[in-house]
Amino acid sequence: MLRIAGSENPDDPVRVLLVDDDALVRAGLTMMLGAFDGIEVAGAVADGTEVAAAINSHRPDVVLMDIRMPGMDGLTATESLRARRDPPEVIVLTTFDTDAHVLRAMRAGASGFLLKHTPPNEIARAVRRVAAGEPMLSPEVLRRMMSFVATTGADPSRDRARAALRRLSPGEREVASLVAQGRTNQEIGTALRMSTATVKAYVSRILTKLESTNRVQIALLVHDAREAASLGSGQP
């Protein structure tokens, strides 16, 4: 078995549900993920309409979700899934020609975004990271998504985001700014000279104050406000 570098609890398997209409993709992902220690493919379905029943049956920790499916698409399925009580985390499989779709998935509460040609070890690392509560925002995906947000000119979204961010203390704004850059708790702690436990406490308070479900939605608010560079100074 292959061990995932950086895994904190390699003996605690992460249960994964695969959602993809391509049988070859499902089979390939099942074989690939099955080669990694600490990951168990709990089930696989071919359409978003099957997700709810599969969640009830298999109780996965992470759902690896395709976007384009003939019945219920992955975006609608993600929105429905994240509205459940104690939902599993969602990693969306995507391509760069669907920026608006990925943005919608981010707003729905997806925690990770992968391209279908992502190397196996990176997919496995993403599954473990998302299961541990850390978003998987690759720098490339983050740049594309934030560029898309910046060019939409959605002033109402910007105003709502700025109003939400005013609820945060200066210290919380600093942490939120680094979350928006895709930094891990450890990286934030190093940058701000905090312990990882302190960073986790900050993130928990930020999530509560912003009424967000995960760190990706914090990042969206920061970038919607278009003030990531000024968050630490407490400017509106």
Side-chain angles (χ1 to χ4, degrees):
M1 299 289 279
L2 301 177
R3 188 170 298 279
I4 303 166
S7 172
E8 293 182 3
N9 299 295
D11 296 325
D12 185 17
V14 177
R15 293 173 59 79
V16 179
L17 174 69
L18 306 177
V19 185
D20 197 297
D21 65 320
D22 189 324
L24 289 177
V25 171
R26 294 196 305 274
L29 286 171
T30 298
M31 292 180 61
M32 181 272 290
L33 290 173
F36 287 89
D37 189 19
I39 295 179
E40 174 187 348
V41 176
V45 297
D47 189 80
T49 58
E50 303 174 67
V51 170
I55 295 297
N56 293 335
S57 297
H58 302 297
R59 301 295 180 185
D61 303 299
V62 176
V63 177
L64 204 55
M65 182 85 73
D66 188 18
I67 287 183
R68 296 174 178 173
M69 292 179 285
M72 180 187 291
D73 64 84
L75 302 175
T76 302
T78 297
E79 290 170 341
S80 176
L81 174 59
R82 293 300 297 176
R84 295 168 59 111
R85 170 179 278 186
D86 298 325
E89 301 296 338
V90 177
I91 298 176
V92 173
L93 293 172
T94 184
T95 57
F96 278 148
D97 63 342
T98 58
D99 288 354
H101 291 167
V102 177
L103 184 62
R104 177 180 159 194
M106 291 171 76
R107 296 191 190 283
S111 295
F113 307 90
L114 297 174
L115 302 180
K116 287 194 173 180
H117 62 257
T118 300
N121 190 60
E122 292 185 22
I123 294 178
R125 190 189 306 276
V127 168
R128 292 291 299 182
R129 179 171 169 174
V130 165
E134 299 276 1
M136 186 61 189
L137 293 173
S138 71
E140 194 173 9
V141 169
L142 187 60
R143 283 195 299 270
R144 288 294 300 265
M145 291 304 97
M146 295 312 109
S147 175
F148 180 83
V149 170
T151 58
T152 58
D155 286 343
S157 295
R158 180 186 62 195
D159 293 342
R160 285 194 296 270
R162 288 182 173 180
L165 291 172
R166 290 191 189 101
R167 303 172 196 162
L168 304 181
S169 69
E172 290 165 348
R173 290 189 178 198
E174 284 188 307
V175 172
S177 178
L178 293 175
V179 167
Q181 295 174 26
R183 304 281 192 93
T184 65
N185 287 342
Q186 185 175 2
E187 291 169 341
I188 294 171
T190 299
L192 300 180
R193 298 181 180 179
M194 296 178 179
S195 69
T196 301
T198 299
V199 174
K200 288 181 179 179
Y202 266 92
V203 172
S204 179
R205 289 200 300 270
I206 292 167
L207 288 169
T208 299
K209 287 186 177 182
L210 298 183
E211 300 178 350
S212 298
T213 61
N214 61 25
R215 296 161 69 104
V216 174
Q217 293 187 336
I218 295 174
L220 275 175
L221 278 171
V222 171
H223 288 284
D224 277 349
R226 301 177 190 172
E227 59 178 18
S230 65
L231 277 176
S233 65
Q235 296 300 314

